[in-house]
Amino acid sequence: MKLEQQVSSLELSKRLKDLGVKQESLFYWNLWHGQMDDFMYQVWYGKPVKRGDGVLSEDTCSAFTVAELGNMLGATDCLQKAYNHVFNVSKSRAITELGLQMCMTNPDIGSVMLIYLLENKLITV
């Protein structure tokens, strides 16, 4: 499995950074800036690199693993709301330990849950 599939996507990682999530992770998205003719542009492409393997800049953002996201999500009562939001299920449906494990096998799902909780001020990180 490629590293890109084992960490939060670049787009979701940037959103988590914008929401103030501490940028401490085993992996980071290394982003590049470029210039073509006289036009400056920012390339929204990068590749995840292991800490210490790349040049970190202010545009670098953490590429979170499911374990790191799980630690940030924690065992909070708000997980039910995030689960319902991400999977669009009835509010009466109880989240199970197995259900949480299933959604936490995908770092993007964990990222979306964390973003939902942060945006709705249900948790702080």
Side-chain angles (χ1 to χ4, degrees), residues 10 14 17 29-37 39-47 55-61:
L10 174 57
K14 288 190 318 186
K17 182 179 181 179
W29 283 101
N30 244 359
L31 306 178
W32 297 285
H33 292 280
Q35 183 171 355
M36 185 166 50
D37 298 329
F39 178 70
M40 286 295 293
Y41 65 95
Q42 189 164 21
V43 180
W44 292 115
Y45 174 78
K47 67 175 187 168
V55 178
L56 300 182
S57 70
E58 66 181 47
D59 294 319
T60 300
C61 57

Side-chain angles (χ1 to χ4, degrees), residues 4-41:
E4 289 88 345
Q5 297 169 314
Q6 298 177 49
V7 297
S8 54
S9 71
L10 174 57
E11 179 182 318
L12 293 172
S13 295
K14 288 190 318 186
R15 183 69 187 120
L16 288 168
K17 182 179 181 179
D18 291 343
L19 288 169
V21 173
K22 202 171 195 177
Q23 297 298 291
E24 292 182 358
S25 179
L26 182 59
F27 300 100
Y28 292 88
W29 283 101
N30 244 359
L31 306 178
W32 297 285
H33 292 280
Q35 183 171 355
M36 185 166 50
D37 298 329
D38 290 330
F39 178 70
M40 286 295 293
Y41 65 95

Side-chain angles (χ1 to χ4, degrees), residues 65-118:
T65 65
V66 290
E68 292 165 338
L69 290 163
N71 283 336
M72 286 186 274
L73 285 166
T76 172
D77 296 334
C78 299
L79 281 180
Q80 177 70 45
K81 292 179 183 178
Y83 183 86
N84 291 340
H85 170 76
V86 171
F87 292 101
N88 197 24
V89 295
S90 166
K91 291 186 173 153
S92 63
R93 182 174 172 179
I95 186 170
T96 64
E97 191 174 315
L98 178 60
L100 182 58
Q101 288 174 349
M102 287 174 48
C103 72
M104 287 305 299
T105 58
N106 182 322
D108 286 345
I109 292 173
S111 297
V112 171
M113 289 176 66
L114 185 57
I115 289 168
Y116 173 80
L117 293 172
L118 291 167

